[in-house]
Amino acid sequence: MKTIFALTSVALGAAAFASTTVDEKPCGSTCGSSPRAALASNVSGKDIISTAVENGNFKTLAAALTAAELIKPLQGEGPFTVFAPTDEAFAKIPEKTLASLLEKKNRDTLTSILTYHVVSGDVRAKQVVKLDNATTLNGQRVDIRVEEGTVFVDSAKVVITDIECSNGVIHVIDTVVMPETESIVGVAAGAKAFGTLLAAAKAAGLAETLDQKGPFTVFAPTDDAFAKLPAGTVETLLKPENKDQLAAILKHHVVSGRVYADMAAKLDKAPTLNGTELPIAITKESARIGNANIVSTDIEANNGVIHVIDTVLLP
């Protein structure tokens, strides 16, 4: 879980990242048929797919893009920024897992993984290092950081940058990065701190909604938050005759779309699925939504994002 509202993008040291670019650190005769050697000679005018395929070090990526039917989209006008895993990166995935992902029945999962490697726009190295995250075509964000001069995208090391293509740019990475595959309900269940919230969502008929595509932003009260309510309140709300009232309370905690912490910090209120509005107040000391403290933010799900709060919000 991420801590409260890490809002400001940090300048991570552009010199360290830029020093790995093809132009500034050419491969030379020692690189043989490495990705750097082939990509460094890329002729302007080739699209992202053509550049990667002709390189010869991205055969698995090309096969995966074909299986996910993403070849034509990434040959489009764009521009796109692709964090491209090499064949060696894909080889880190268990063989059976990779074979399963390439099966037609798992196309949606494969598409989710591949689009997690693509950012809209032409984002060069000097821009990347000024970010601490980037929103992908998957909808989720990748984390960006620099450690001792090495740039990482989630757990992947960036090994080559700024490969110019006619419809964007390629940065080469050494590991396939994986998005969150569980829904909001699945993520909450795995956290073990939202038993009451999940029970309430099921009783109100809202759990199925939060399992759907969305996306949604949930300000999720913990079990301790529900325990603050007067004795017997939860038990009463869980009764079938109070389903509508319970649903209204829970929808008061849900906002349409993915609203990350830095986005929420720019708002003074957020419209909920209940038709109500939640006031947002951010100070140096705290972050609050309604009368609740936000204690953890930006927990990813495949259909949205969760922010943890310490008090149940009542409409």
Side-chain angles (χ1 to χ4, degrees):
M1 293 185 180
K2 298 183 181 179
T3 55
I4 295 177
F5 283 79
L7 301 177
T8 305
S9 296
V10 179
L12 295 174
F17 191 93
S19 68
T20 64
T21 63
V22 171
D23 291 338
E24 295 184 7
K25 191 175 180 181
C27 181
S29 59
T30 62
C31 295
S33 59
S34 70
R36 180 182 294 279
L39 288 170
S41 62
N42 179 43
V43 179
S44 178
K46 295 178 182 178
D47 62 45
I48 287 170
I49 297 298
S50 297
T51 301
V53 170
E54 291 180 17
N55 171 260
N57 289 278
F58 302 96
K59 295 176 182 177
T60 309
L61 176 60
L65 290 169
T66 300
E69 298 184 351
L70 289 173
I71 294 291
K72 287 186 177 179
L74 288 180
Q75 286 181 319
E77 182 176 355
F80 305 105
T81 297
V82 178
F83 295 99
T86 60
D87 290 336
E88 290 182 355
F90 275 100
K92 295 179 181 180
I93 299 175
E95 188 174 344
K96 289 184 178 180
T97 301
L98 183 58
S100 176
L101 285 171
L102 293 174
E103 294 178 6
K104 187 175 182 179
K105 65 180 181 180
N106 295 319
R107 180 181 296 168
D108 287 348
T109 300
L110 180 60
T111 299
S112 176
I113 293 171
L114 294 175
T115 53
Y116 189 61
H117 291 74
V118 184
V119 174
S120 180
D122 188 323
V123 187
R124 301 303 174 101
K126 65 182 181 180
Q127 297 169 289
V128 171
V129 297
K130 295 178 181 179
L131 305 174
D132 54 16
N133 60 64
T135 301
T136 70
L137 296 191
N138 166 286
Q140 297 180 47
R141 286 179 169 181
V142 288
D143 292 325
I144 298 170
R145 71 186 192 280
V146 171
E147 293 183 359
E148 298 181 353
T150 299
V151 180
F152 290 87
V153 176
D154 280 355
S155 60
K157 183 187 297 183
V158 180
V159 294
I160 308 174
T161 68
D162 287 352
I163 311 304
E164 294 188 17
C165 304
S166 62
N167 63 340
V169 63
I170 295 172
H171 305 301
V172 182
I173 56 177
D174 71 346
T175 303
V176 178
V177 291
M178 295 291 184
E180 176 58 61
T181 58
E182 292 284 351
S183 70
I184 288 169
V185 172
V187 171
K192 308 297 183 183
F194 304 102
T196 308
L197 176 61
L198 291 172
K202 291 177 182 178
L206 192 60
E208 290 184 3
T209 300
L210 295 179
D211 251 339
Q212 295 174 6
K213 186 175 182 179
F216 306 103
T217 297
V218 178
F219 293 92
T222 61
D223 292 337
D224 288 342
F226 276 98
K228 292 181 181 180
L229 294 173
T233 300
V234 172
E235 291 77 8
T236 299
L237 287 171
L238 290 174
K239 293 180 179 179
E241 60 266 29
N242 295 320
K243 180 178 180 180
D244 290 346
Q245 182 183 1
L246 178 60
I249 292 172
L250 295 180
K251 288 179 180 179
H252 188 59
H253 293 74
V254 184
V255 175
S256 180
R258 287 181 185 268
V259 184
Y260 288 97
D262 57 343
M263 300 163 64
K266 297 175 183 177
L267 305 174
D268 55 12
K269 57 186 176 181
T272 73
L273 295 191
N274 189 41
T276 52
E277 291 185 334
L278 288 169
I280 299 173
I282 309 297
T283 67
K284 292 182 179 180
E285 290 76 26
S286 66
R288 293 177 64 82
I289 182 109
N291 63 333
N293 292 306
I294 303 173
V295 296
S296 187
T297 66
D298 292 350
I299 300 170
E300 295 275 15
N302 68 8
N303 64 339
V305 63
I306 299 171
H307 305 303
V308 183
I309 58 176
D310 67 352
T311 303
V312 178
L313 303 168
L314 299 177

